[in-house]
Amino acid sequence: MNPENFGAPARSPEIQSISKAPTAIRGLDVILKGGFPLGRTTIISGTAGTGKTVMAMEFLLRGALEGHAGLFISFEERAEDVRANASAMGMNPAVLEEQSKLKIIHAEVPADAVRTGDFDTRGLLAMIEGHANLMGAKRIVLDAVDFLMSIFEDPGRERAEISILLNRLRDLAMTTIFTVKAEPGGRKIYPFLDFMADCVLFLDQRVDEQVRTRRLNVLKYRGSDFLSNEHPYSLTPEGLVLLPIPSVLPGESSFKKRVSSGNDELDRIMGGGYFMGSCILLTGPSGIGKTSLACTFAQSAYNRGEKVLYVDFEVCLETLVGAMQSIGLDLNPALDSDSRLRVLTGMPESAGAQEHLIRIIDEMTRFSPQHLVVDAISACRRMGSGKTAFDLLLHLITECRAKGITCFFTNQIRNQEHLIQVSGLGISSMVDTIIALEYFLEDQRMNRRLMVIKSRGSDHSKDFYRLDLSDTGVSLSRDTGRGDWTLTPDKRT
Amino acid sequence: MDLDPGQKDVTMTNKSECSFDSPAQYHLVLFVAGDGLNSSIARQNLASLCENELAGRCRVNIVDVLEDFSAAAKNNILVTPTLLVCKPEPVVTIIGNLSDREKVRAALNLKEVKP
């Protein structure tokens, strides 16, 4: 023991993980910390329609594209149907079959077959081995193993045959995927299978407030670490997509550069403007001016040549453009060029949160904006369960933090108490700047005011400022009559 | 007779070892896996059947999937032994070692023979 190291913090040794076969399925290798166990058995279980076959086929297809030949044995569906279903999911097995990187085999016992004595699966094994050797395949999928087992009417026999199959595939060092149907509610038809496999995944789908959500669970992964939560997933035209929340919390970054809010007064209030790459939350009741402030920020950014992605869950594009024109803000020139401002609109109810998230993240990848605006995060509660808005926010913040993108979120609230909550869950620790807008009664008129509740890393004014919306835009002033601050409309450049 | 990948799957043409132009009344194809117990029993039972009740009117093919694994794939064979009764139509699939004589006969539409 070296005395010099004594005071040093302990470093946990790298866990020597087993060898893995990368799946190349989006997000899955992050959850499995590398992929499926190489040369071992993985079970994908789930109720009907959860995407077990899609996942298994995608594993083989993506592997085949990298040069790993794979064998797909279907016990339930015919080869043509397997091929057609894969094509419908945007995958093209026929080309790979021609290159002998993939083979699809249908092995069945017809329903009207006559049983006349004992039989076994030695023939199946011979067929598997023969084709695997011919193709040099080390990856194999056995789809609908429950179908295979139902042929043997004796439970003891079922186990025996599966064991023989599994052991032989293990001897051949084949990376084996079994798909198995589970009963709704997760009850296993063949519980012993889980013990035989090295890795078990469970796919679940449920309908939550009229929106379907799919979730993947890693139940077991012998010899390896994995992300253990339930992970939402989607079946998209490009295959299965998972967006796991990384296990590292978005840390507090040290922000250096400032960006203008688009309004000189607000910049002054903020001590110089917003921080580039930070997360700003603007909260307030309906109609108070959140969208106006969001667009004021966006316009000032794109006029400087920075790209803005504007996600609108509340209104359609025409309505947004029209509303902004009433405050003298014309979005059309930027929209026409499409290189500075891009707007994504859509009803929150139109899809699950996962699908919306994928759409936004994909657009961010394509467009590479410097800034992201989401108007309004509160509309996301219509995407399913109440927690959905929170999860979406968390994902977007994480994504933006990683890329240094400024996020600007609006949050519609009814009650002043819920200023810093989204669907009842506190988010103040996740955002860097919170600006609250509220109505107040003065001289029997409803007026608007703004206050910066919090701004991490910046000295900000703690006063209320009067907010006015006119056809020349947004303006802020200290309470009239005090004389210190005068009305200064924001400059249009 | 190879199965064309573009061909629509119809029950009868599924079994590519079957040929329909054989003059015999019965065309039977037995898929076995080497010399295993079930395979040996099936061979014996089939031989006995052909010598006795089907004498002179059956044509038999025996396919060992350990030697010809692609035949198994082409015919969607899952378990062994499997006996395909290609002719007369419709194609009947019989699985198992053929020990249950009554069932085999019933599947072949043979009248019961009193010993």
Side-chain angles (χ1 to χ4, degrees):
Chain A
M1 189 153 60
N2 188 344
E4 282 168 11
N5 291 339
F6 207 69
R11 287 194 70 193
S12 57
E14 283 289 318
I15 296 170
Q16 189 60 29
S17 204
I18 56 172
S19 303
K20 301 195 180 169
T23 67
I25 293 172
R26 192 168 157 193
L28 186 58
D29 291 341
V30 170
I31 293 167
L32 298 176
K33 307 243 173 166
F36 290 141
L38 191 70
R40 303 292 182 101
T41 305
T42 297
I43 286 177
I44 303 171
S45 63
T47 52
T50 44
K52 305 182 288 297
T53 304
V54 171
M55 183 187 272
M57 178 54 95
E58 196 177 343
F59 170 64
L60 284 191
L61 286 169
R62 292 195 184 275
L65 289 171
E66 296 296 314
H68 303 289
L71 199 54
F72 190 101
I73 316 274
S74 170
F75 296 117
E76 184 177 11
E77 291 188 71
R78 297 185 170 172
E80 311 83 80
D81 292 337
V82 172
R83 225 171 264 123
N85 291 339
S87 299
M89 286 297 304
M91 304 188 251
N92 191 355
V95 170
L96 292 164
E97 285 180 281
E98 273 161 47
Q99 297 166 352
S100 297
K101 287 289 172 206
L102 177 72
K103 180 132 185 101
I104 300 175
I105 295 173
H106 173 47
E108 66 160 348
V109 169
D112 56 356
V114 180
R115 290 156 192 266
T116 61
D118 196 27
F119 50 84
D120 53 59
T121 53
R122 296 177 73 211
L124 174 67
L125 256 172
M127 185 169 70
I128 290 174
E129 268 187 74
H131 281 104
N133 284 335
L134 194 63
M135 297 161 65
K138 282 293 190 193
R139 296 178 171 205
I140 179 168
V141 168
L142 280 81
D143 188 44
V145 162
D146 41 285
F147 248 73
L148 167 65
M149 297 207 285
S150 64
I151 293 162
F152 300 97
E153 279 145 0
D154 171 47
R157 200 55 208 287
E158 284 167 2
R159 276 176 104 124
E161 291 295 321
I162 285 285
S163 282
I164 293 170
L165 205 59
L166 231 149
N167 287 332
R168 186 71 193 125
L169 292 170
R170 172 95 144 245
D171 291 340
L172 295 171
M174 300 284 282
T175 300
T176 306
I177 314 296
F178 281 6
T179 73
V180 188
K181 249 186 226 69
E183 297 279 286
R187 189 184 78 81
K188 302 286 175 60
I189 308 173
Y190 298 107
F192 64 84
L193 275 180
D194 287 1
F195 294 107
M196 291 177 164
D198 283 63
C199 176
V200 181
L201 304 184
F202 185 72
L203 303 182
D204 171 74
Q205 74 172 354
R206 40 194 118 122
V207 178
D208 233 336
E209 298 191 28
Q210 299 184 315
V211 177
R212 183 189 0 231
T213 16
R214 300 180 192 272
R215 292 192 181 90
L216 173 150
N217 251 305
V218 180
L219 296 185
K220 156 180 165 179
Y221 199 151
R222 204 182 271 152
S224 166
D225 197 12
F226 56 89
L227 294 186
S228 56
N229 290 333
E230 269 196 327
H231 302 280
Y233 67 92
S234 300
L235 299 176
T236 75
E238 278 82 45
L240 215 86
V241 177
L242 293 132
L243 294 173
I245 299 178
S247 41
V248 179
L249 294 170
E252 269 191 47
S253 327
S254 57
F255 305 116
K256 298 181 180 66
K257 196 175 150 205
R258 296 256 188 194
V259 290
S260 170
S261 64
N263 177 288
D264 292 341
E265 272 313 311
L266 187 51
D267 286 348
R268 222 189 306 259
I269 295 164
M270 290 289 305
Y274 305 133
F275 277 116
M276 178 85 182
S278 72
C279 180
I280 302 118
L281 182 69
L282 190 65
T283 78
S286 171
I288 201 162
K290 301 185 295 298
T291 300
S292 300
L293 278 169
C295 287
T296 302
F297 166 66
Q299 188 177 65
S300 119
Y302 68 63
N303 281 344
R304 282 194 303 272
E306 291 158 24
K307 287 190 277 191
V308 179
L309 178 64
Y310 194 106
V311 179
D312 198 330
F313 285 126
E314 311 248 87
V315 297
C316 69
L317 185 57
E318 290 75 36
T319 307
L320 177 68
V321 172
M324 290 304 99
Q325 278 171 341
S326 71
I327 60 159
L329 205 157
D330 189 6
L331 296 171
N332 279 315
L335 287 170
D336 291 338
S337 80
D338 194 44
S339 57
R340 300 182 291 161
L341 174 68
R342 213 170 267 188
V343 179
L344 283 185
T345 60
M347 300 267 280
E349 298 88 343
S350 63
Q354 186 71 353
E355 282 77 28
H356 282 291
L357 186 62
I358 291 169
R359 193 168 153 244
I360 297 171
I361 287 182
D362 282 353
E363 193 62 47
M364 278 168 66
T365 307
R366 268 193 292 270
F367 188 47
S368 298
Q370 277 72 38
H371 312 285
L372 171 72
V373 176
V374 181
D375 185 17
I377 282 290
S378 42
C380 299
R381 78 170 77 91
R382 285 148 55 194
M383 286 174 192
S385 73
K387 194 172 171 285
T388 325
F390 184 86
D391 285 347
L392 190 77
L393 190 65
L394 184 61
H395 259 115
L396 287 177
I397 292 176
T398 309
E399 191 75 18
C400 288
R401 277 266 203 272
K403 295 179 179 164
I405 297 173
T406 316
C407 1
F408 191 106
F409 298 135
T410 69
N411 186 22
Q412 184 169 303
I413 55 155
R414 281 174 295 240
N415 187 327
Q416 285 304 98
E417 285 169 15
H418 301 290
L419 266 182
I420 51 170
Q421 286 182 357
V422 172
S423 303
L425 293 163
I427 48 163
S428 55
S429 56
M430 296 200 301
V431 306
D432 305 294
T433 299
I434 301 177
I435 298 173
L437 303 176
E438 61 176 17
Y439 289 110
F440 69 102
L441 196 59
E442 189 188 67
D443 298 333
Q444 297 184 325
R445 265 181 44 202
M446 287 307 279
N447 298 281
R448 299 174 165 90
R449 63 186 177 192
L450 170 153
M451 179 158 94
V452 179
I453 305 272
K454 144 177 164 169
S455 189
R456 222 179 244 151
S458 152
D459 216 6
H460 63 92
S461 167
K462 314 259 189 312
D463 298 312
F464 271 112
Y465 289 81
R466 194 194 189 85
L467 174 77
D468 285 302
L469 302 177
S470 71
D471 56 12
T472 50
V474 171
S475 55
L476 288 162
S477 60
R478 282 284 248 117
D479 280 341
T480 50
R482 305 296 169 119
D484 285 356
W485 302 87
T486 52
L487 228 73
T488 45
D490 57 303
K491 296 185 175 57
R492 294 258 169 270
T493 47
Chain B
M1 189 161 62
D2 269 333
L3 197 63
D4 176 9
Q7 194 175 351
K8 191 166 167 23
D9 188 85
V10 173
T11 323
M12 300 208 268
T13 53
N14 198 13
K15 314 297 177 189
S16 67
E17 302 307 294
C18 294
S19 78
F20 304 106
D21 54 2
S22 136
Q25 185 188 358
Y26 288 94
H27 181 200
L28 308 173
V29 182
L30 180 68
F31 293 85
V32 294
D35 299 325
L37 187 61
N38 287 325
S39 294
S40 303
I41 295 174
R43 279 185 225 246
Q44 281 170 26
N45 282 328
L46 185 62
S48 157
L49 189 72
C50 285
E51 274 161 37
N52 300 323
E53 294 157 67
L54 300 179
R57 42 186 189 133
C58 81
R59 178 184 144 184
V60 173
N61 286 105
I62 299 195
V63 176
D64 185 349
V65 301
L66 296 186
E67 282 167 24
D68 183 4
F69 59 84
S70 62
K74 273 190 227 140
N75 291 275
N76 301 1
I77 300 300
L78 175 51
V79 297
T80 47
T82 292
L83 179 68
L84 290 184
V85 183
C86 302
K87 206 184 160 189
E89 292 163 19
V91 173
V92 177
T93 308
I94 299 174
I95 58 173
N97 56 25
L98 309 176
S99 306
D100 189 335
R101 298 263 175 144
E102 298 315 310
K103 277 212 180 148
V104 177
R105 280 201 201 92
L108 292 170
N109 278 322
L110 293 173
K111 291 206 186 78
E112 197 184 302
V113 173
K114 297 275 187 238

